[in-house]
């Protein structure tokens, strides 16, 4: 296993995802002789995990079962230990596409934070690209290095512990794309420009507040960036539910009920409304929005150096 | 680090994208070929040899000339009003008449100059607020300054272009939705992917870009052959097509039931008739002739960029009739070539079947006009456990059904039905706000992860899963809300 290559079987040293069901999961470092506690009981790595196929159902000591999944940047994002606020896959998707990242791309990133975006970037630029990530917090930088090592991607990433606003990315004229997720991105636009290739490239800055965006846009313009564009992406998740609505009693006689407008002759296949006149209800499948959803993560400002 | 080399240059035969403000158009770069874009006509001859990203001005005779960076001559102290209480719309504020402006244009006066004259001859300009002046200039610049930027195609540009110009051809798949698909599907170098799309080959192209020529792709196609009009706009190098395979959807059932065999395939001469029959009977209106089908399906293998590109981008540039005629002539001459291609096509079919039979694909991407349920139920058979899959549909309802059927089938977890909303912003000092209009719909996604299918116990465990997914207490709450 590595975060940039699928493997079929679980091996000692792998990072695997234990899936307990309904969006409940956690990562586990597979090690001979180790056990992991779950609410369904104990998983013994040597017997229950190592040598098994990824995607297998593993029965725990109390008889309950879990699935063991191959790690991906997306699963990692959902399960990683937070050291900072992180970027989620919805924003990451748009960042990756709008920065035009692909195998071979050279990317600069700051800050590294908890490495949520870093893993996604590395996945996309592998096997020939590289990520230069800058984190001014020494402990976080160290922790990120350690994770990249554990995940088998250390050859694709360089972590530098410095202040990007003061010292830049530590590289120049090399990057195809730059990503900024720092409190004052406008102070790093000059460094971003010099990190990008002479022939040009793309930049993205992520900021939660519109005031940050305004200052960043001004700085981008000042440094000659073009195609400056700010957008926001919102994820709406739907629960699939079978809903039944009661038919109101308007005092109609039994014979009239057959002409209520509901097609009771319709075979009750999924998706189409199903009428149960005896109970006086109509059933149908619906995609119900979650009661609460993320309304704002941050603004994404993109631009081109040409 | 490595020394910066010059950027990629525009070459004859490339597929390039023209850009004016937010409008894109993909065109093949050819000499002496008239291009019409945003009500302007010009030739690309002079652009050849320049670096991608160069901005050009259209000069008389349809020539392109790299735009000189001119310092805005706004040294004079700006004069502006504070509000519009005294500005009356009498329709007479502009002293230049339509004829005057036309005369300026005919004289070949640069757009920049015309804008300056319009400003000078506007009696209300000085009374407008600074912001209104800004807006006025921007509007006029857009109309009179004919600048075109030539950019290198990418998923970002092509998906934005298709969504704006021809959303019907890509089932209204908005670019941010496509972005989600690539991420949710963990598309990357080295994967073995199954792609089933009827989005003009845009989704295929996006997957190919992310795989960078590493790994393999099996494209499942309806009708007589895969449509790859958008794919060829990307201008991928030949090597990207070495491991691109295609397999007809109509043979999926026989492959799964084990009745598919290479012996049932007709030998070369009959091959022709069979494919023709298939394409005529297909639902895809685009697949009308064998010739078209043949061309589209072989683009991959031969990839004579210069020749196939224009053919493929026809739907984007309808003006190229002349070329098609030449192409058809060529085709008639090359009967032997065609037979060789057919033999190759058959060989590729056998290869694709073998790849599918391994049932170890690293993911499945579906984005089509067809009902997703039967596609998913069959194609997931070819995917290894612990791999992501993503289905796009323009409508939510078919995905509701697909969700239910997948739960019944089992072998999948972490099912998620989602949609993204995209909001663009105007960011200007003291004038920042969301843009007036946003896209009403960019489609829906159903994603999940495959797991080992527990055939013996699947029924009971699935019932459990169903219950888990649909707690009755919550169902009541929702019901209450509706009553």
């Amino acid at each position: 296993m590595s975060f940039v290559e699928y493997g079929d079987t679980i091996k000692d040293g792998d990072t695997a995802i234990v899936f307990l069901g309904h969006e409940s999961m956690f990562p586990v470092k597979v090690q001979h002789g180790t056990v992991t506690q779950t609410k369904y009981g104990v998983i013994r790595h040597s017997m229950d995990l190592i040598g098994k196929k990824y995607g297998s159902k593993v029965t725990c000591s109390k008889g309950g079962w879990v699935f063991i999944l191959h790690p991906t940047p997306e699963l990692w994002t959902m399960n990683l230990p937070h050291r900072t606020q992180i970027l989620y896959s919805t924003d990451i998707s748009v960042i990756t596409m709008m920065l035009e990242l692909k195998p071979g791309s050279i990317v600069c990133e700051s800050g590294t934070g908890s490495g949520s975006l870093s893993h996604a970037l590395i996945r996309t630029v592998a096997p020939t690209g590289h990520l230069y990530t800058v984190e001014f917090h020494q402990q976080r930088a160290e922790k990120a290095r350690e994770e990249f090592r554990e995940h088998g991607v250390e050859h694709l990433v360089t972590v530098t512990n410095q202040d990007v606003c003061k010292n830049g990315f530590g590289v120049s004229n090399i990057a195809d794309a730059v990503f900024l997720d720092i409190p004052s991105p406008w102070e790093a636009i000059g460094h971003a420009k010099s990190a990008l290739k002479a022939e040009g490239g793309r930049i993205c800055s992520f900021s939660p507040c519109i005031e940050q965006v305004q200052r960043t846009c001004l700085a981008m313009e000042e440094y000659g960036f073009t195609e400056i564009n700010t957008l926001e992406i919102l994820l709406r998740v739907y629960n699939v539910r079978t809903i039944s609505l009661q038919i109101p009693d308007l005092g109609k006689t039994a014979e009239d009920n057959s002409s209520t407008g509901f097609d009771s002759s319709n075979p009750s296949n999924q998706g189409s409304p199903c009428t149960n006149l005896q109970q006086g209800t109509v059933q149908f499948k619906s995609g119900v929005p979650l009661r609460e959803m993320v309304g704002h993560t941050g603004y994404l400002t993109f631009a081109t150096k040409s | 680090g490595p020394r910066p080399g010059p950027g990629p240059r525009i070459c004859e035969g490339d597929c390039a994208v023209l850009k004016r403000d937010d409008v894109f158009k993909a065109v093949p770069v050819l000499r002496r070929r008239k291009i019409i874009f945003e009500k302007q006509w010009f030739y690309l001859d002079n652009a050849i040899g320049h670096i991608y990203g160069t901005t050009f001005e259209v000069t008389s005779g349809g020539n392109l000339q790299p735009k000189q960076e001119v310092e805005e001559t706004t040294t004079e102290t700006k004069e502006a009003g504070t509000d519009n209480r005294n500005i009356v719309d009498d329709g007479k504020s502009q002293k230049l008449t339509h004829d005057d402006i036309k005369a300026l244009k005919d004289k070949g006066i640069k757009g920049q100059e015309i804008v300056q004259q319009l400003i000078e001859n506007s009696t209300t300009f000085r009374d407008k607020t600074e912001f209104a002046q800004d807006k006025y200039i921007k509007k006029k610049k857009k109309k009179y300054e004919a600048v075109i930027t030539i950019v290198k195609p990418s998923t970002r540009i092509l998906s934005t272009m298709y969504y704006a110009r021809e959303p019907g051809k890509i089932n209204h798949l908005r670019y941010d939705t496509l972005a989600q698909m690539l991420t949710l599907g963990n598309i990357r170098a080295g994967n073995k992917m199954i792609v089933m799309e009827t989005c003009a080959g845009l989704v295929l192209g996006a997957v190919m870009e992310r795989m960078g020529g590493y790994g393999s792709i099996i494209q499942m196609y309806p009708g007589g052959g895969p449509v790859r009009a958008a794919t060829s706009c990307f201008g991928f190098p030949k090597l990207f097509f070495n491991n691109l395979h295609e397999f007809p959807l109509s043979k999926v059932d026989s492959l799964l039931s084990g009745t598919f065999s290479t012996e049932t395939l007709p030998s070369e001469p009959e091959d022709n008739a069979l494919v023709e029959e298939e394409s005529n009977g297909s639902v895809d209106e685009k697949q009308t002739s064998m010739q078209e089908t043949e061309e589209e399906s072989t683009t991959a293998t031969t990839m004579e960029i210069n020749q196939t590109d224009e053919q493929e981008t026809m739907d984007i540039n309808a003006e190229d009739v002349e070329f098609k005629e030449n192409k058809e002539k060529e085709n008639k001459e090359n009967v032997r070539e065609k037979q060789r291609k057919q033999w190759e096509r058959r060989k590729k079919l056998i290869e694709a079947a073998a790849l599918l039979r391994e049932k170890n694909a690293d993911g499945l991407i579906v984005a089509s006009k067809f009902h997703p349920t039967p596609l998913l139920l069959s194609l997931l058979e070819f995917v290894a456990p612990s791999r992501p899959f993503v289905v796009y549909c323009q409508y939510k309802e078919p995905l509701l059904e697909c969700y239910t059927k997948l739960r019944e089938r089992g072998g999948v977890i972490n099912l998620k039905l989602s949609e993204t909303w995209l909001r663009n912003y105007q960011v200007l000092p003291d004038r920042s706000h969301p843009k007036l209009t946003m896209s009403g719909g960019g489609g829906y996604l159903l994603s999940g992860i495959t797991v080992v299918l527990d055939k013996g116990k699947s029924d009971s465990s699935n019932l459990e899963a169903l219950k888990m997914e649909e707690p009755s207490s919550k169902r009541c709450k929702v019901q209450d809300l509706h009553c």
Side-chain angles (χ1 to χ4, degrees):
Chain A
M1 159 302 343
S2 107
F3 271 61
V4 292
E5 204 179 353
Y6 282 120
D8 287 334
T9 53
I10 304 163
K11 292 185 183 70
D12 190 24
D14 280 8
T15 297
I17 307 291
V18 180
F19 183 92
L20 293 97
H22 206 59
E23 305 241 327
S24 155
M25 49 186 142
F26 59 86
V28 64
K29 208 180 146 188
V30 180
Q31 273 175 311
H32 266 297
T34 308
V35 295
T36 298
Q37 288 287 346
T38 77
K39 61 178 176 184
Y40 301 124
V42 163
I43 303 170
R44 292 152 301 173
H45 292 203
S46 308
M47 290 179 68
D48 300 332
L49 298 183
I50 294 166
K52 285 257 176 69
K53 237 174 137 80
Y54 274 110
S56 300
K57 188 190 266 189
V58 170
T59 307
C60 307
S61 61
K62 288 182 194 166
W65 41 260
V66 298
F67 285 106
I68 307 296
L69 299 179
H70 196 287
T72 65
E74 286 60 53
L75 286 173
W76 182 246
T77 288
M78 287 156 79
N79 295 292
L80 57 82
H82 283 219
R83 300 183 285 272
T84 56
Q85 177 63 258
I86 64 159
L87 277 163
Y88 289 94
S89 298
T90 312
D91 283 314
I92 290 172
S93 309
V94 175
I95 292 164
T96 309
M97 184 199 266
M98 292 300 178
L99 287 181
E100 305 191 331
L101 301 183
K102 54 193 179 200
S105 297
I106 308 290
V107 198
C108 290
E109 176 202 34
S110 188
T112 315
S114 307
S116 170
L117 176 69
S118 313
H119 279 82
L121 296 176
I122 292 166
R123 173 263 317 274
T124 303
V125 305
T128 46
H130 200 85
L131 170 68
Y132 293 90
T133 184
V134 176
E135 170 61 54
F136 71 174
H137 191 285
Q138 201 204 325
Q139 226 180 343
R140 276 183 223 146
E142 202 41 63
K143 192 76 196 144
R145 275 192 204 109
E146 194 184 310
E147 275 173 5
F148 294 140
R149 223 174 6 250
E150 276 180 15
H151 296 163
V153 296
E154 58 182 327
H155 58 295
L156 296 163
V157 54
T158 305
V159 185
T160 310
N161 176 213
Q162 64 186 31
D163 183 349
V164 74
C165 296
K166 288 203 184 97
N167 312 110
F169 292 94
V171 289
S172 60
N173 287 330
I174 193 174
D176 297 290
V178 171
F179 177 81
L180 293 170
D181 178 6
I182 52 173
S184 52
W186 55 92
E187 290 175 19
I189 299 299
H191 293 300
K193 192 182 180 183
S194 52
L196 286 166
K197 283 178 179 164
E199 69 236 47
R202 295 275 294 164
I203 184 170
C204 175
S205 173
F206 174 94
S207 294
C209 307
I210 197 74
E211 290 81 3
Q212 294 170 301
V213 176
Q214 278 175 333
R215 296 183 74 166
T216 307
C217 284
L218 283 176
M220 283 176 173
E221 218 172 299
E222 199 182 304
Y223 280 96
F225 282 92
T226 57
E227 279 192 286
I228 302 169
N229 180 28
T230 301
L231 56 85
E232 189 182 20
I233 189 94
L234 278 180
L235 178 72
R236 284 177 69 85
V237 178
Y238 297 97
N239 281 325
V240 180
R241 299 259 179 268
T242 306
I243 312 281
S244 31
L245 291 185
Q246 225 179 326
I247 299 167
D249 178 9
L250 299 175
K252 289 192 177 179
T253 58
E255 301 93 81
D256 288 341
N257 265 342
S258 56
S259 58
T260 42
F262 298 111
D263 187 7
S264 52
S265 64
N266 203 330
S268 64
N269 50 14
Q270 280 70 24
S272 52
C274 165
T275 318
N276 189 339
L277 288 176
Q278 260 169 352
Q279 283 170 18
T281 59
V282 181
Q283 275 201 348
F284 59 93
K285 287 268 173 203
S286 179
V288 185
L290 305 187
R291 246 191 323 148
E292 208 173 356
M293 59 174 263
V294 176
H296 179 70
T297 53
Y299 300 104
L300 293 168
T301 300
F302 295 93
T304 303
K305 173 189 174 181
S306 50
Chain B
R3 272 187 55 235
R9 288 179 189 275
I10 301 162
C11 295
E12 199 177 350
D14 277 3
C15 188
V17 179
L18 310 175
K19 175 181 185 296
R20 189 176 162 183
D21 295 311
D22 294 328
V23 185
F24 295 103
K25 177 175 182 164
V27 290
V29 179
L30 291 174
R31 288 184 196 274
R32 297 319 297 159
R33 184 167 166 227
K34 204 175 190 171
I35 304 273
I36 300 165
F37 177 54
E38 289 285 279
K39 293 176 189 162
Q40 282 203 302
W41 61 268
F42 49 88
Y43 296 94
L44 291 176
D45 298 47
N46 291 349
I48 294 169
H50 285 279
I51 294 169
Y52 275 103
T54 307
T55 300
F56 299 90
E57 269 177 299
V58 182
T59 62
S60 55
N63 288 314
L64 293 181
Q65 190 187 312
K67 191 180 185 312
Q68 308 290 321
E69 271 310 319
V70 197
E71 282 292 311
E72 300 280 319
T73 51
T74 48
T75 40
E76 55 200 279
T77 45
K78 272 190 183 171
E79 222 180 302
T82 48
D83 59 46
N84 60 10
R85 74 182 75 191
N86 295 316
I87 294 180
V88 183
D89 183 14
D90 56 2
K92 291 177 202 155
S93 58
Q94 182 52 254
K95 295 301 172 201
L96 290 180
T97 64
H98 279 291
D99 291 341
D100 293 338
I101 297 166
K102 191 173 181 295
L104 287 175
K105 275 200 212 144
D106 291 344
K107 267 193 253 171
I109 304 240
K110 281 201 172 180
Q112 217 170 352
E113 201 121 318
I114 297 177
V115 175
Q116 197 55 43
Q117 293 225 22
L118 284 169
I119 293 169
E120 279 161 19
N121 286 287
S122 163
T123 55
T124 50
F125 185 81
R126 277 154 192 261
D127 298 328
K128 286 178 194 279
T129 64
E130 207 181 312
F131 295 157
Q133 289 181 351
D134 216 40
K135 203 169 169 182
Y136 180 86
I137 295 170
K138 267 193 189 147
K139 227 165 119 183
K140 297 300 172 193
K141 269 191 173 175
K142 195 173 174 182
K143 192 164 176 189
Y144 296 102
E145 285 187 18
V147 293
I148 284 146
T149 307
I150 301 184
V151 295
K152 230 181 150 30
S154 65
T155 300
R156 166 177 76 98
I157 285 162
L158 293 175
S159 60
T160 314
M161 178 188 85
Y162 262 93
Y163 189 73
R165 294 178 80 90
E166 304 187 283
K169 285 212 167 117
I170 55 166
N171 302 298
H172 294 257
L173 168 68
R174 204 175 48 217
Y175 42 98
D176 54 305
T177 313
L178 176 58
Q180 304 302 316
M181 294 182 76
L182 298 170
T183 296
L184 288 170
N186 192 24
I187 311 296
R188 62 170 175 213
N191 278 6
K192 172 176 172 179
M193 293 301 304
I194 300 176
V195 177
M196 163 54 206
E197 65 132 291
T198 60
C199 294
L202 178 70
V203 175
L204 175 71
V207 171
M208 287 171 74
E209 184 184 273
R210 283 291 171 88
M211 290 179 58
Y214 301 92
S216 56
I217 305 171
I218 307 141
Q219 183 183 15
M220 315 298 293
Y221 63 87
V227 177
R228 291 177 185 161
T231 319
S232 54
C233 292
F234 283 82
F236 290 129
K238 278 186 191 179
L239 91 96
F240 277 34
F241 294 90
N242 291 347
N243 288 311
L244 173 60
H245 307 266
E246 60 249 5
F247 191 83
L249 265 186
S250 57
K251 301 236 180 284
V252 165
D253 259 358
S254 66
L255 190 66
L256 284 172
S257 64
T259 54
F260 176 90
S261 82
T262 52
E263 275 113 66
T264 64
L265 282 174
S267 52
E268 278 96 83
E270 292 97 276
D271 212 4
N272 210 340
L274 177 92
V275 178
E276 191 141 33
E277 203 179 296
E278 268 180 12
S279 68
N280 286 343
S282 88
V283 226
D284 198 336
E285 311 85 3
K286 281 178 216 146
Q287 307 288 323
T288 45
S289 75
M290 175 57 204
Q291 241 159 21
E292 244 182 67
T293 308
E294 182 65 19
E295 258 160 23
E296 272 166 342
S297 57
T298 51
T299 317
T301 46
T302 51
M303 200 52 198
E304 294 138 1
I305 291 184
N306 316 13
Q307 290 171 19
T308 46
D309 264 356
E310 304 88 70
Q311 189 65 34
E312 309 284 349
T313 46
M314 282 292 291
D315 50 339
I316 305 163
N317 352 275
E319 56 259 22
D320 198 346
V321 181
E322 192 190 311
F323 184 82
K324 197 180 180 182
E325 280 166 7
N326 287 341
K327 182 80 193 166
E328 273 167 11
K329 256 184 240 164
E330 251 174 61
N331 271 349
K332 278 176 194 160
E333 288 160 18
N334 292 335
V335 180
R336 187 180 280 189
E337 176 69 5
K338 209 168 168 181
Q339 280 182 338
R340 190 187 62 82
K341 279 181 180 172
Q342 270 169 21
W343 180 81
E344 248 172 41
R345 198 162 167 258
R346 187 163 164 268
K347 204 179 96 188
K348 285 213 105 185
L349 180 68
I350 295 165
E351 275 173 27
L355 282 170
L356 288 170
R357 272 204 203 93
E358 293 172 352
K359 298 194 173 189
N360 65 352
D362 294 319
L364 169 67
I365 299 286
V366 176
S368 83
K369 61 183 176 184
F370 299 107
H371 200 297
T373 304
L375 288 174
L376 261 283
L377 291 179
S378 292
L379 298 182
L380 275 179
E381 299 285 316
F382 300 120
V383 181
S386 197
R387 299 293 188 273
F389 62 90
V390 194
V391 202
Y392 168 82
C393 188
Q394 192 185 342
Y395 312 100
K396 200 200 291 173
E397 291 73 13
L399 292 179
L400 296 176
E401 196 214 312
C402 195
Y403 179 102
T404 311
K405 292 283 182 194
L406 285 178
R407 286 239 154 260
E408 284 169 18
R409 171 193 180 268
V412 293
I413 55 164
N414 213 30
L415 286 186
K416 199 164 103 184
L417 177 60
S418 65
E419 174 195 18
T420 45
W421 283 3
L422 177 69
R423 194 152 199 182
N424 278 288
Y425 284 81
Q426 167 181 301
V427 180
L428 289 169
D430 297 328
R431 281 159 293 163
S432 299
H433 58 74
K435 293 233 172 108
L436 188 67
T437 55
M438 64 184 272
S439 159
Y444 299 86
L445 294 177
L446 177 61
S447 62
I449 301 170
T450 56
V451 288
V452 174
L453 188 55
D454 189 358
K455 277 181 180 132
K457 285 191 277 181
S458 69
D459 278 342
S460 58
S461 61
N462 286 327
L463 272 176
E464 262 173 66
L466 260 173
K467 276 181 202 150
M468 207 161 73
E469 211 70 25
E470 246 180 277
S472 54
S473 61
K474 275 193 192 161
R475 201 159 67 198
C476 290
K477 270 185 206 157
V478 175
Q479 212 174 315
D480 288 343
L481 284 174
H482 281 261
C483 291

